[in-house]
Amino acid sequence: MAGLAASESIVVPDKMLEGAGIKVVREEVTKVDAANKSVFVSGSKEFKYDKLYLATGSSPFIPPIEGKDLNGVMTLRGLDDAEKIKSYIADKNPKNIILIGAGFISMEIASLLAEQMPENMPAKFNITVIELMDRPLPLMLDKEMADSVTQYLEEKGLNILTGEKVEKLTGQDGKVTGVTLASGKKLDADMVFMNVGVRPNINLATDIGLEMGQFGIKVNKFQETSDPDILAGGDCVEKINFITKKPTPGQLRGPAVMQGRLAAKRLAGYDIEFPGVVDAGGCKMFDMTITATGFTEEAAAKEGFETVCAVVDSRSKHRMIPGMKPWKIKLVFDKKTQKLIGGQIVSHAIAPAREIDAVTAFILGGTTIPELTTFTSACNPDISSEPSAEPITVAAEQALMKLRKG
């Protein structure tokens, strides 16, 4: 999308796999005969297996909106989609671009388009993001954290419309020309992106007769399905939330990579369990980086948690060092157990946003408010704020005071 990586560098080269002794077959699987442990591909060619791993992924969910099949309506889930988008922009020179859904994929596309406008374009894109909820990145950020993101993106020239529902897409001669909202607003559109979620690809697993969960193929902690000789992982399987122990989609890259590794270890004889997901993720828009893990305050409330939260403004360097950039962190604690259950970071520098990984580690470790007040980070004036202002520790101190007052 941004032209920063060639398409061939995005996928694993076949020669790399073949060099490791792996046979690569580029064919569509048409059937799996689990009783006879056979996989059939196009042309009825058969492959026998001792163990089978399903990594069928997911597909974009396209809501049943009138006009969704018009030319110029795009999704972005893979390399083919990216190539299609680049070709469409080059051929059609769209000016008015609308993105439906303000999740991280939409927000990253919007910022990339604004930054990487093709040279042959006569004028800048007019980019509008439409979100049903009251803020961008609603699954990652609470509103108090998202408000500064909205302001920043609008200053960068994006139009952010929240609390709006898309009613239909309009077109002419088979090409999209506009978007009509439930509020009655009508927007011109030369190109529309649909990014409102994904659905697991489970048709093959269903045909095999594997047990399904609420959000995909049901697997145990070793990535084994209801057939012990068939394992699965990634977007096609249901995950377990680490905090609540309830089923969840968990459709992010990190868990998919880890589940693939654990499945391989299982086949190699190791008994290492997948711990569950906390939905840690991040995105970058212009010079702003947003990361989040665990529950937002809003999501925690929906799960029945009474929470204690703290928001801390911090700095990428000691205040006396030139080049200091601001960042903000919010921590969410379960009031009953005092355990950390969520964190959000909005940063104008990349490095501080990686502190979300420390927050994830604290969640996985069951760290409490009192324990976090003793956290000491590695520090240097050029790479962090002063030790007395370590934001995770300060947030824990604030939460401790709220507990005492409560």
Side-chain angles (χ1 to χ4, degrees):
M1 282 291 297
L4 302 177
S7 58
E8 58 269 18
S9 68
I10 298 173
V11 297
V12 179
D14 290 352
K15 289 184 178 179
M16 181 186 298
L17 298 172
E18 290 166 352
I22 299 170
K23 182 179 180 180
V24 178
V25 179
R26 290 184 172 272
E27 295 284 355
E28 180 185 359
V29 174
T30 57
K31 179 184 176 182
V32 174
D33 182 350
N36 295 303
K37 293 189 175 182
S38 295
V39 174
F40 295 89
V41 300
S42 303
S44 299
K45 188 172 182 180
E46 180 182 3
F47 294 88
K48 303 294 288 186
Y49 70 84
D50 295 312
K51 297 286 184 178
L52 179 66
Y53 184 75
L54 298 179
T56 50
S58 60
S59 300
F61 169 66
I62 308 297
I65 297 175
E66 180 183 342
K68 62 183 175 64
D69 296 322
L70 290 166
N71 190 26
V73 179
M74 307 285 181
T75 59
L76 180 57
R77 192 63 185 168
L79 182 58
D80 290 343
D81 293 327
E83 296 286 5
K84 180 181 177 182
I85 291 165
K86 287 184 67 177
S87 297
Y88 190 88
I89 291 174
D91 294 342
K92 305 298 183 182
N93 289 333
K95 179 182 179 183
N96 298 305
I97 298 177
I98 292 179
L99 297 100
I100 301 174
F104 68 87
I105 293 178
S106 284
M107 303 313 298
E108 288 188 329
I109 292 173
S111 62
L112 286 172
L113 289 172
E115 286 185 312
Q116 308 292 333
M117 190 182 71
E119 294 180 0
N120 63 325
M121 290 293 291
K124 288 185 176 181
F125 294 128
N126 177 31
I127 302 173
T128 301
V129 181
I130 302 169
E131 170 57 44
L132 181 62
M133 296 182 71
D134 63 354
R135 61 196 184 278
L137 302 171
L139 300 182
M140 295 178 68
L141 301 176
D142 286 307
K143 192 171 187 307
E144 64 189 312
M145 296 290 284
D147 283 346
S148 61
V149 176
T150 301
Q151 180 181 347
Y152 173 79
L153 295 177
E154 290 177 339
E155 289 173 353
K156 288 291 187 178
L158 302 185
N159 306 306
I160 310 296
L161 298 181
T162 57
E164 293 279 7
K165 180 182 179 181
V166 174
E167 189 75 21
K168 66 178 180 178
L169 308 182
T170 55
Q172 186 175 353
D173 299 325
K175 179 181 178 295
V176 69
T177 58
V179 174
T180 300
L181 305 181
S183 62
K185 294 180 183 178
K186 295 184 179 181
L187 307 173
D188 292 333
D190 305 310
M191 190 177 189
V192 174
F193 288 86
M194 289 269 203
N195 292 295
V196 294
V198 297
R199 295 292 183 271
N201 296 326
I202 58 173
N203 289 344
L204 187 62
T206 301
D207 291 342
I208 296 171
L210 300 179
E211 183 180 354
M212 292 293 136
Q214 183 181 353
F215 301 105
I217 305 169
K218 197 174 186 65
V219 294
N220 63 17
K221 291 184 177 182
F222 302 108
Q223 303 309 126
E224 295 165 335
T225 68
S226 54
D227 182 327
D229 292 322
I230 300 179
L231 294 82
D235 282 7
C236 63
V237 308
E238 178 179 77
K239 320 294 189 304
I240 298 298
N241 183 277
F242 175 82
I243 300 169
T244 64
K245 311 305 178 187
K246 296 178 182 178
T248 186
Q251 292 163 326
L252 292 170
R253 183 176 176 229
V257 171
M258 197 54 57
Q259 288 187 325
R261 289 179 180 175
L262 286 182
K265 289 182 177 70
R266 183 64 167 172
L267 296 178
Y270 292 93
D271 295 329
I272 303 175
E273 298 182 355
F274 185 69
V277 298
V278 291
D279 291 332
C283 62
K284 186 175 183 295
M285 301 171 293
F286 303 103
D287 293 323
M288 177 176 278
T289 304
I290 292 95
T291 55
T293 188
F295 289 126
T296 61
E297 183 177 2
E298 180 181 287
K302 290 180 180 178
E303 290 291 338
F305 290 99
E306 184 179 359
T307 59
V308 177
C309 303
V311 177
V312 176
D313 290 308
S314 190
R315 301 171 289 276
S316 63
K317 300 181 179 184
H318 194 290
R319 70 179 76 203
M320 67 184 179
I321 302 295
M324 180 274 291
K325 294 183 179 180
W327 66 285
K328 178 185 293 187
I329 187 170
K330 177 175 181 176
L331 297 184
V332 180
F333 298 92
D334 173 19
K335 187 174 183 179
K336 181 180 179 181
T337 64
Q338 299 186 22
K339 289 182 179 180
L340 180 63
I341 59 172
Q344 304 158 45
I345 293 175
V346 174
S347 175
H348 288 271
I350 294 175
R354 291 302 308 270
E355 195 150 346
I356 204 69
D357 293 332
V359 177
T360 294
F362 288 135
I363 292 174
L364 296 177
T367 313
T368 64
I369 293 173
E371 290 168 340
L372 273 183
T373 63
T374 67
F375 172 61
T376 304
S377 64
C379 60
N380 176 281
D382 276 318
I383 63 173
S384 64
S385 185
E386 52 270 37
S388 61
E390 161 50 46
I392 291 180
T393 309
V394 173
E397 294 281 5
Q398 291 182 6
L400 190 66
M401 287 188 286
K402 289 182 179 180
L403 282 176
R404 186 168 185 175
K405 291 178 181 177

